[in-house]
Amino acid sequence: MIAKEELKLTQEWDKTFAKSDKVNHSKVTFVNRYGITLAADLYVPVSAEGKMPAIAVCGPFGAVKEQCSGLYAQTMAERGFVTVAFDPSFTGESGGNVRYMASPDINTEDFMAAVDFLSLHELVDPERIGIIGICGWGGMALNAASLDTRVKATVASTMYDMTRVNAKGYFDAEDSEEARYQKRAAMCAQRLADLRNGEYKLGGGVIDPLPEDAPYFVKDYYDYYKTDRGYHARSLNSNGGWNVIGCESFVNQPILQYTNEIRSAVMVMHGDKAHSFYFGKDAYDNMVKDSKYADNKELLVIEGATHTDLYDGGNKNAIPFDRLADFFNEYLK
């Protein structure tokens, strides 16, 4: 048995959404191949019997399992799936030191470790496992699906390509060699400053107080992460954010290189009013371009939905959970 780190897990219900009486909930842990112990919430339908289909959920980037991923997991469990929502390495209740770092490789591995856990669970059919990635974890989910042949169906919801936004800036406005050089130089300088100071400087979560002239997508984030709607004490985005150098390696490491080789089913789901819509559209287009496996790929556009509407439905029930259930039922037969 691979050794686990002893984690201190909160046992009371501290989610940003109400607890369902249609599922049984418990805390679980599992280990990734880097030896990091991940904390997760397991949701099982109260009527569970036999070997069932299962889904691993994570995201958004900088959130915790008590927020959007837990809502997705619990809701999909209500629809007949064994689900697990996990905190990525270095964040939330999961292990890993130092805190508040991100890695394209390790975070993709986090999804694969969740698939490991589900594959070995007594209630799960290991041939019927899917994944859901939200926001920045939508890109991680696509990367995991291109690497992990055990994943039979994937949903990327309101996705970000974190390598693209780090390398090119929002809307690709910083896509130049000079801009990338300046980013690299700044992070290299910050590394030394952190070592001199004996601690890693936080980059800051969602800005608070909110400036009157803030871009609409910043207001969108504020409305979720900084209000009762979605605030959580362990969420990076709700509080101090990632380390300044937390995403350093993303600048040089595109994660969607081989998505057009994904043979399993994929749905990219995005709101057409989301600032991030271009990530989802381009990821879908690149996934099906010159692909022999385009027949089971879908771009589902949610009309009128902003980026965070697909976190929790907003005030318009924007997340089509029944449609997601139909997708997974079709491809996790």
Side-chain angles (χ1 to χ4, degrees):
M1 175 67 71
I2 298 174
K4 291 183 182 180
E5 180 183 354
E6 289 294 326
L7 302 178
K8 295 181 180 179
L9 303 179
T10 302
Q11 296 303 319
E12 65 268 18
W13 186 265
D14 63 345
K15 320 302 183 192
T16 59
F17 52 91
K19 188 175 184 180
S20 172
D21 60 4
K22 298 178 181 179
V23 304
N24 293 319
H25 163 264
S26 60
K27 288 290 189 74
V28 297
T29 59
F30 49 89
V31 181
N32 69 19
R33 67 185 172 92
Y34 292 99
I36 299 170
T37 301
L38 303 182
D41 287 300
L42 179 69
Y43 298 92
V44 178
V46 293
S47 58
E49 59 181 25
K51 294 288 189 177
M52 303 180 63
I55 304 169
V57 192
C58 193
F61 195 79
V64 287
K65 63 188 181 304
E66 288 75 22
Q67 296 172 306
C68 316
S69 60
L71 173 64
Y72 272 69
Q74 179 176 260
T75 307
M76 296 307 292
E78 290 178 329
R79 285 157 172 77
F81 302 88
V82 174
T83 64
V84 62
F86 63 91
D87 284 332
S89 296
F90 314 113
T91 66
E93 293 186 303
S94 286
N97 285 309
V98 296
R99 306 303 292 167
Y100 313 141
M101 292 293 186
S103 161
D105 182 20
I106 295 175
N107 293 150
T108 299
E109 164 61 21
D110 289 342
F111 252 130
M112 297 181 71
V115 174
D116 291 340
F117 169 79
L118 290 173
S119 297
L120 297 175
H121 196 281
E122 61 181 2
L123 291 176
V124 174
D125 181 345
E127 298 301 318
R128 301 164 70 195
I129 295 176
I131 59 177
I132 298 174
I134 307 161
C135 186
W137 281 83
M140 298 297 178
L142 294 182
N143 195 37
S146 69
L147 184 61
D148 195 331
T149 59
R150 301 168 300 174
V151 175
K152 299 303 191 294
T154 300
V155 168
S157 176
T158 195
M159 70 159 283
Y160 262 50
D161 176 349
M162 294 305 302
T163 52
R164 179 177 176 179
V165 76
N166 276 276
K168 301 180 179 183
Y170 277 101
F171 313 110
D172 299 338
E174 301 168 359
D175 185 14
S176 71
E177 183 272 339
E178 179 61 26
R180 279 185 285 277
Y181 179 85
Q182 294 301 327
K183 290 180 183 180
R184 293 172 183 133
M187 284 188 285
C188 287
Q190 186 64 50
R191 293 172 68 101
L192 298 182
D194 289 344
L195 290 171
R196 292 189 186 102
N197 294 331
E199 62 181 4
Y200 292 95
K201 182 180 179 181
L202 294 177
V206 174
I207 189 169
D208 188 15
L210 183 69
E212 290 185 6
D213 60 349
Y216 84 93
F217 68 91
V218 175
K219 295 177 180 178
D220 196 31
Y221 281 134
Y222 183 94
D223 187 54
Y224 181 78
Y225 286 109
K226 289 294 190 177
T227 70
D228 290 342
R229 173 184 167 195
Y231 177 86
H232 196 278
R234 289 192 294 274
S235 170
L236 280 69
N237 293 339
S238 291
N239 296 283
W242 297 92
N243 296 329
V244 172
I245 64 168
C247 297
E248 185 174 17
S249 66
F250 283 74
V251 176
N252 276 22
Q253 298 186 34
I255 56 175
L256 304 183
Q257 183 70 31
Y258 297 110
T259 56
N260 70 342
E261 297 180 6
I262 299 175
R263 300 188 182 189
S264 57
V266 177
M267 175 192 289
V268 177
M269 180 175 72
H270 226 117
D272 65 350
K273 301 303 181 185
H275 70 280
S276 54
F277 191 22
Y278 71 103
F279 288 124
K281 289 191 297 183
D282 290 356
Y284 173 78
D285 289 343
N286 292 332
M287 182 169 52
V288 300
K289 182 180 179 181
D290 301 324
S291 173
K292 297 183 291 185
Y293 314 104
D295 289 348
N296 59 357
K297 307 300 187 290
E298 178 181 356
L299 175 62
L300 178 64
V301 178
I302 310 301
E303 294 185 2
T306 67
H307 184 79
T308 64
D309 283 340
L310 296 189
Y311 281 9
D312 62 351
N315 60 1
K316 58 190 76 167
N317 296 318
I319 305 171
F321 283 116
D322 288 340
R323 178 68 186 83
L324 297 188
D326 289 343
F327 170 80
F328 282 111
N329 281 323
E330 179 178 0
Y331 292 106
L332 299 183
K333 294 178 181 178

